[in-house]
Amino acid sequence: TGLTTGQRVVTVQQGPLYRTEGSHVTLWCKVSGYQGPAEQNFQWSIYLPSAPEREVQIVSTIDPSFPYAIYTQRVRSRGIFVERVQGDAVLLHITELQDRDAGEYECHTPNTDERYFGSYSAKMKLSVIADTLTASMTPQALTLTEGDAVELTCEVSKSTTQHTHLSVGWYHLQGAGEQNAEEILILSKDFILKPGPSYEQRFLVGDVRLTKVGSTAYKLFLGGVKPSDQGQLYCEAAEWIEDPDKTWKDISRKQTERTSLVVMSQGKDLSVDIAAAESSLSEGDTLHLSCTVKTLKSSSRHFQVIWLLNGMEVARVDPQGVLVWEKEYEERAKLGQLRAFKPSNTIYTFIIYEVGLRDSGTYHCSVSEMKTPGDRHGIQTKLSSGIQVNVKPIGYHMRLSVSTSTPQVTAGDPLILHCEVQGATSPVSVQWWHLPPQLPGPGVLVATLEQDGSLRWGSTYQDSRTRGSLRLEKASSGTFTLVIPNTLDEDDGGQYRCEATERSRGQSWTVEGEAAVTVNSMGLGLQAMLRSRVATVRYGQSFELICQVSANYTLEDVPASVRWLFQPSPPTSPYHELVQVFPNGTVTWVTAQSHFKGKAQLTKADTSFRLHIHSAVAAHEGTYQCEVEVWRRNILPLGQPAASTSSNAVGIKVVLPESNLQVATKDSSVGITSGADTTIECRIVFAQNNSQLAVTWYLLPPLADGSPLQIIRVNYSSIVEYGSEFSSPAQKSRFLSQRVSSNVFWLQILSGNLGDQGKYYCVVEEWLWLVDGWYKLGEGTSGRTTLEFKLPERELQVEKTNNSISAREGEEVTLHCLLQGAHLPDTHLSATWFQVKKSGRDSVLLTLHHDGTIKYLQESLARRLYLHRPAAGDFSLTLSRVERGDAGVYYCQVQEWQQQAESKDWALQASACSGYTQLTTTPPGNAVGCR
């Protein structure tokens, strides 16, 4: 069916098209008969010859993700892009055509119509052919005189199989930029010659012509060159192909290299140059000057040359080569000291043998062009630029340079200095001087080498034991090398001066130069870093400490020693030395560190020292440090070190075997009557078979502030130690520790009293013998056992009022304890006085037993305590010679006892405690108040 109004039609550029690889290609596409927005979208795809049925998406105006991976990068970099010509027409650009771009291209327009009606895509084929076009021309630099002619040849060829045409054009370029190129003469693809606008008239008269020579050569003839032709000339060839739409398209263009053209105006082409073989001379040298005439067609022209010194004529050479000297130079010329001649029509030479100081100055050569050889006046004259010639006295050209291959060294390294003398005409003598950095003045003489080769050393450098065997050598005809094998310290740095003296004809000439060297202290940058791969090791494991030494110089061949230091943990003293390794490998152990000797391995590798400890024990736990000392190289004996440094500290912790000790932790209670014995048990649930146990018993009094009191300790060697509160003989006799089996300890309390009340517990420690001693592995704490006193049901009536008493130190004071009411018949009474300690435990002072005997439990107070009984129920206590430490709280306990009929034993029937009495002491002489 035919198309109707409103039917969409997509049209694409007619194919097939042939384009060369690497060229910039455009394909157009447009749509008509569409509905919707004026700006339509386009999508380009390709069907490759290898898969003609498979669509490969290239680029879209609407969807950035449209390209397949093979085209994504080229689309992103705008190697392929779509240019919108108008709303319904676009151009597809491929900026650099590739061989793989050959195929069938499809242009598709997404539907914007109310319904599908018409064509939505169109296809065309693109073939990629090789670019075979070549264009070449030999580049030249031409200088012509106005009116001359020039011919240039351009070689153009192609080998395209398709039918194509060639165009060849010649262009003239003045200044920079291709846009300034103007056409000279073009042979079009239609074989029509067309001159550029500036060359039309010259083309018509035949001064601009193009001739084809053979099948590939195109020759340009440019006659009667003008100054306006000056610039660059090149050839450009283009290959053209006819597309299916009958239009011609250039598919390749090539330009040749360029020929530069300089056009000289008639009569203005003369120039003159003057040159000297050497312009800085010494007396007796030879001066050689040349004058060069530059012009066109020089062989047919005639020149006269005049040599000038400081503007005054010296000599002239006429066009026929005749030489005329000025009068004052005639004598020297006769003696053969001066020469002037003409090697060619453009080269003129002037020579002075054995120049003197009078020959210094500025030389010129003046060139005049004569119309004929015999003319006396020139048609043009050019004066060369001036050349300054300096003649110096003998020795003036002597030059000296000082260098060093060791500009920065470390003490002990060698210094190597070079003194190079140039320009001397006879043997020289050389002196080396040292200018220390901190010593002003002329310097210190190092060495002198005379012209005859004799060598003398300065007084400071004569002893080879100080800096080694110094050398001063003549390495070549003009180079003198000073070698100082061993530098001492920083003072060997500074400036080293070389002086060279030449003597000739009764005169002398001295030149000098200096070089700076720096001698660094061996302590510069010297550092020691100590490290270990582990900070914690188990008992019996090995560990290694690495002492890494670094400096601002090479350490490999520097004599060095390392001292290993150790501080045990916890610190008991400063660091002490373990061992020292000397540069010769000698190892010295400190006797006191025997637990290291035999377990330590010492090694050295490059710039690191290693201390390897085998089978670590607890005594190896602590902090380690290394100290490094260095000496200057090649110095024996070593003497004092040149520098030293200490490393950082590294801590090593030795973890002992784990303890599995378990102690029963269940709380319990024990009730006893006053005066009775009792036992507190401490049970071990688990302990290692080869370990030893230590047990410590503690009491936490009822009124304590949380700090337990140590009663007794039995260590792993069964040595007994009592706490301060239980250290009196009376207390030691009442508190006993006993191990009744391998896993049970008892604390026995004899004749218990109220002061023994509280909570008891044990702390068990597990100890193990580990090679070099006993070590505590762990500990466990038992549960608490509460000791309570069972009081009789009947209570005595004792005065319970609390009161306070003040007494001067040295006086006597009475503390009252009164029984109120009668006690039972056939009963006896006992009384015990207590002092409440700061620890919270009630300490027994004395006890009046029911049989009338008195027992003093505080031996230090026994002589100052008196128990007066003015009545049967009065148990008042008198304290004589009151001391400051007597201040505190006191109370008494009264008990009633009755003898049993059968057993004859005495049984407690009743008990009571008095009120508290607060005793305050004052220094002698102070007023005492009582309340």
Side-chain angles (χ1 to χ4, degrees), residues 137 154 156 168-171 233-237 254-257:
M137 179 182 69
C154 180
V156 179
V168 179
W170 291 91
Y171 295 85
L233 307 179
Y234 66 91
C235 167
E236 182 180 88
K254 297 292 172 64
Q255 286 186 5
T256 66
E257 294 187 79

Side-chain angles (χ1 to χ4, degrees), residues 61 121 154 190 304 364 403 740 758 885 905 915-916:
T61 61
S121 65
C154 180
D190 302 320
Q304 174 181 271
H364 291 84
S403 62
V740 295
D905 292 334
Y916 294 104

Side-chain angles (χ1 to χ4, degrees), residues 283-304:
E283 287 181 287
D285 290 344
T286 298
L287 173 63
H288 190 291
L289 298 175
S290 63
C291 181
T292 303
V293 180
K294 294 182 179 180
T295 185
L296 301 174
K297 303 176 182 179
S298 60
S299 60
S300 60
R301 299 165 75 172
H302 312 286
F303 305 105
Q304 174 181 271

Side-chain angles (χ1 to χ4, degrees), residues 596-759:
F596 282 93
K597 192 173 183 180
K599 284 182 169 287
Q601 180 182 356
L602 300 162
T603 58
K604 179 181 182 295
D606 296 331
T607 58
S608 65
F609 299 87
R610 295 171 185 256
L611 173 64
H612 189 93
I613 304 295
H614 301 276
S615 302
V617 298
H620 297 151
E621 180 174 321
T623 305
Y624 293 80
Q625 196 175 28
C626 65
E627 289 183 354
V628 177
E629 295 176 333
V630 294
W631 284 262
R632 290 190 298 130
R633 296 180 177 91
N634 307 319
I635 297 297
L636 291 174
L638 291 177
Q640 291 298 316
S644 63
T645 185
S646 296
S647 74
N648 54 298
V650 170
I652 297 294
K653 180 175 178 60
V654 179
V655 179
L656 299 177
E658 294 183 0
S659 172
N660 294 318
L661 176 69
Q662 297 182 29
V663 181
T665 57
K666 185 177 180 180
D667 294 338
S668 61
S669 63
V670 175
I672 64 170
T673 59
S674 180
D677 300 338
T678 189
T679 299
I680 308 296
E681 184 179 85
C682 178
R683 181 174 295 275
I684 311 302
V685 178
F686 179 83
Q688 296 185 33
N689 293 332
N690 58 345
S691 63
Q692 296 292 329
L693 302 178
V695 62
T696 305
W697 291 95
Y698 291 93
L699 167 62
L700 191 63
L703 301 180
D705 58 359
S707 298
L709 304 176
Q710 179 180 323
I711 303 171
I712 186 173
R713 171 180 172 80
V714 182
N715 70 5
Y716 55 82
S717 299
S718 300
I719 297 175
V720 179
E721 178 187 353
Y722 280 88
S724 59
E725 294 283 338
F726 297 87
S727 59
S728 67
Q731 294 287 53
K732 290 181 179 180
S733 65
R734 293 180 57 243
F735 289 89
L736 305 173
S737 179
Q738 181 181 4
R739 186 171 187 173
V740 295
S741 68
S742 62
N743 62 335
V744 175
F745 291 88
W746 279 355
L747 174 66
Q748 292 182 312
I749 305 175
L750 306 179
S751 302
N753 58 58
L754 284 177
D756 300 332
Q757 292 185 111
K759 294 182 179 181

Side-chain angles (χ1 to χ4, degrees), residues 386-406:
I387 186 167
Q388 180 68 35
V389 174
N390 297 313
V391 180
K392 301 298 182 182
I394 293 174
Y396 184 83
H397 287 286
M398 190 164 64
R399 297 287 181 267
L400 182 147
S401 62
V402 180
S403 62
T404 176
S405 55
T406 55

Side-chain angles (χ1 to χ4, degrees), residues 71-148:
Y71 288 103
T72 300
Q73 184 57 38
R74 293 173 70 186
V75 171
R76 287 179 179 171
S77 62
R78 289 188 64 80
I80 298 177
F81 63 93
V82 176
E83 175 190 0
R84 188 177 291 279
V85 180
Q86 57 189 40
D88 53 7
V90 297
L91 282 176
L92 172 66
H93 288 261
I94 304 176
T95 59
E96 188 173 349
L97 191 64
Q98 300 177 11
D99 183 62
R100 62 175 178 170
D101 293 331
E104 187 175 32
Y105 284 75
E106 180 181 41
C107 175
H108 174 75
T109 60
N111 183 34
T112 58
D113 307 332
E114 294 180 357
R115 60 190 179 90
Y116 281 93
F117 187 51
S119 67
Y120 289 84
S121 65
K123 296 181 179 180
M124 60 82 63
K125 288 186 178 180
L126 174 65
S127 295
V128 180
I129 61 177
D131 185 1
T132 62
L133 179 65
T134 63
S136 63
M137 179 182 69
T138 303
Q140 303 177 69
L142 301 177
T143 301
L144 302 179
T145 303
E146 188 176 2
D148 289 346

Side-chain angles (χ1 to χ4, degrees), residues 440-453:
V444 179
L445 178 63
V446 180
T448 300
L449 182 63
E450 298 291 353
Q451 288 174 298
D452 59 4

